[in-house]
Amino acid sequence: MWGIRKLSSSSSRSLGVFKSRSRSPQADCSRSITSAVYLENQLSWTLQIKPWVFSKYRIMWLKSFRMTFACLNTMRSYRYPWTRPYSTSRTTVDSREVKTFLTLAHRWWDEQGAYAPLHSMNDLRVPFIRDNLLKTIANHQPGKPLFGMKILDVGCGGGLLTEPLGRLGASVIGIDPVDENIKTAQHHKSFDPVLDKRVEYRACSLEEIVEETAETFDAVVASEVVEHVLDLETFIQCCCQVLKPGGSLFITTINKTQLSYALGIVFSEQIAGIVPKGTHTWEKFVSPEKLESILESNGLSVQTVVGMIYNPFSGHWHWSENTSLNYAAHAVKQEHLAEAEFVLEDTEELQAKASSSPAVHEELKKGL
């Protein structure tokens, strides 16, 4: 008998490659070759045991002990975002957002200024990233728990999150489309020699470095970023592309609810002035359900979604089960996104399915 093992497949129309192994010492399978025949709108695999016979109709026959086998390939198809053609003409950067952050570039490290909530958010997001990444590390160094990890901080701004991750031992690249933000980040990094070899900054968008950094990073961080991008679907695709299989994506953002509009825009921007006016656009906010749907459809398995609450009077954040305002999400890139399952089928049944194709039917008759 012959065994056919499960194989990975990128879509329901992909052609697989079979590897066979003989369980009988009398059968010589070392030079056996297999191939596929596509019958009407159904992907079917027709196999017989007879080495080195390849018909003009792309049917491979293999014969052994006068027995004939046929296989029907049934597939579960998943999307492979990192193999999809990416158009460089598309961008996730909103030029209006760039202008807004350009005027605030010099204020990133003012802990009492416009970015004060982001400074205090580190009390939650840094441990959130660290603790989830430590689950994937068998042994870590004291004082440098993330040593050996490569992290991409997308939309790093002035480096408020990039630097703490670097101090935990990780090798971090911070990218931002606003050149002035990167200049501020580089200037601040220069005061800490420890960060010189661990942290690198680049003035660019995520889609500009997708090809050169494909499957490079152990983690991608997009903190307070997705609510500012033009095309969330493309942005998530790019994040997935640069992640290694099994790598983690961390996102913090704002839910799209009436409460988030009232507190996140009306109160925070227009009344209390906690953040500058025009910083956020409610239409760009994304609910946890929609974000999870986009992540899952792009090969990312959501591990955690947890709410975050900011107290404007104390200036501190705390975790919450309520995700109606801010929330954090952790997703992991799946290592095996698709597999093909092969089910043995009687030759008579397969011939019946091929009856609509006279040429193939004739070849089946000859093979018998």
Side-chain angles (χ1 to χ4, degrees):
M1 296 293 292
W2 289 68
I4 302 176
R5 71 177 185 179
K6 293 183 179 180
L7 303 172
S8 294
S9 172
S10 61
S11 72
S12 60
R13 290 178 175 268
S14 299
L15 294 182
V17 179
F18 287 92
K19 288 188 178 180
S20 303
R21 56 186 176 86
S22 174
R23 296 183 182 177
S24 170
Q26 303 177 40
D28 180 11
C29 62
S30 60
R31 303 174 65 188
S32 298
I33 300 177
T34 62
S35 67
V37 56
Y38 181 75
L39 304 176
E40 293 305 326
N41 294 314
Q42 178 179 345
L43 187 64
S44 300
W45 296 91
T46 304
L47 295 180
Q48 286 185 315
I49 306 174
K50 182 178 179 182
W52 298 102
V53 180
F54 187 68
S55 77
K56 63 180 179 179
Y57 297 105
R58 301 189 64 79
I59 300 175
M60 180 60 64
W61 305 102
L62 299 107
K63 290 186 176 179
S64 175
F65 306 116
R66 298 181 182 178
M67 298 178 67
T68 301
F69 298 89
C71 288
L72 175 64
N73 178 25
T74 59
M75 288 183 155
R76 291 183 297 175
S77 300
Y78 295 84
R79 301 167 70 184
Y80 275 75
W82 54 88
T83 59
R84 298 177 194 163
Y86 178 76
S87 173
T88 54
S89 63
R90 298 176 65 186
T91 179
T92 62
V93 178
D94 190 332
S95 59
R96 293 171 298 179
E97 299 273 2
V98 170
K99 292 179 181 178
T100 299
F101 286 101
L102 182 61
T103 61
L104 299 170
H106 64 287
R107 303 176 64 182
W108 278 104
W109 289 96
D110 180 3
E111 296 187 19
Q112 306 301 320
Y115 294 116
L118 293 183
H119 281 272
S120 60
M121 187 185 286
N122 278 356
D123 293 339
L124 294 188
R125 57 184 179 176
V126 173
F128 181 69
I129 295 169
R130 179 199 63 203
D131 294 346
N132 280 287
L133 288 180
L134 284 178
K135 296 176 183 178
T136 66
I137 303 175
N139 299 303
H140 57 84
Q141 299 184 19
K144 296 188 293 183
L146 299 185
F147 180 79
M149 303 288 287
K150 295 190 68 174
I151 300 176
L152 178 66
D153 184 9
V154 184
C156 65
L160 270 61
L161 181 56
T162 317
E163 288 194 8
L165 294 176
R167 292 192 183 94
L168 289 174
S171 174
V172 191
I173 295 179
I175 63 172
D176 197 285
V178 182
D179 187 63
E180 291 301 316
N181 286 347
I182 295 300
K183 289 180 180 178
T184 299
Q186 289 174 332
H187 175 71
H188 193 271
K189 183 189 75 169
S190 66
F191 294 105
D192 190 343
V194 174
L195 298 177
D196 188 45
K197 294 182 179 181
R198 298 183 190 172
V199 173
E200 175 187 351
Y201 291 110
R202 299 184 190 180
C204 64
S205 63
L206 175 58
E207 55 269 22
E208 290 179 290
I209 65 167
V210 165
E211 291 186 5
E212 65 178 274
T213 60
E215 296 193 350
T216 297
F217 299 97
D218 299 289
V220 172
V221 178
S223 185
E224 306 306 294
V225 172
V226 299
E227 66 270 25
H228 299 290
V229 301
L230 274 178
D231 187 340
L232 180 57
E233 175 80 22
T234 298
F235 181 82
I236 296 299
Q237 288 179 17
C238 292
C239 289
C240 188
Q241 283 180 280
V242 300
L243 270 176
K244 294 178 181 178
S248 292
L249 173 61
F250 297 95
I251 292 175
T252 66
T253 188
I254 309 173
N255 198 346
K256 190 175 183 179
T257 61
Q258 292 180 344
L259 185 60
S260 70
Y261 178 78
L263 296 181
I265 294 180
V266 177
F267 177 76
S268 297
E269 295 185 17
Q270 301 175 10
I271 299 177
I274 298 173
V275 293
K277 291 183 179 180
T279 300
H280 297 111
T281 303
W282 186 79
E283 287 74 18
K284 287 185 177 181
F285 291 177
V286 57
S287 68
E289 294 77 18
K290 181 178 180 180
L291 179 62
E292 184 171 350
S293 175
I294 296 174
L295 291 171
E296 294 283 357
S297 68
N298 283 279
L300 290 152
S301 176
V302 177
Q303 307 295 305
T304 305
V305 175
V306 59
M308 305 167 67
I309 301 294
Y310 178 68
N311 186 329
F313 303 104
S314 66
H316 292 95
W317 293 82
H318 64 269
W319 295 114
S320 170
E321 294 182 359
N322 189 340
T323 60
S324 58
L325 289 172
N326 295 71
Y327 64 94
H330 171 221
V332 174
K333 180 176 178 179
Q334 298 178 25
E335 297 192 45
H336 302 288
L337 291 183
E339 63 180 13
E341 295 179 353
F342 300 95
V343 182
L344 289 179
E345 182 183 68
D346 292 338
T347 304
E348 289 79 10
E349 294 179 10
L350 189 60
Q351 285 178 316
K353 293 178 182 179
S355 60
S356 59
S357 177
V360 173
H361 183 68
E362 186 64 27
E363 283 297 317
L364 284 170
K365 291 174 63 179
K366 290 180 182 179
L368 298 174

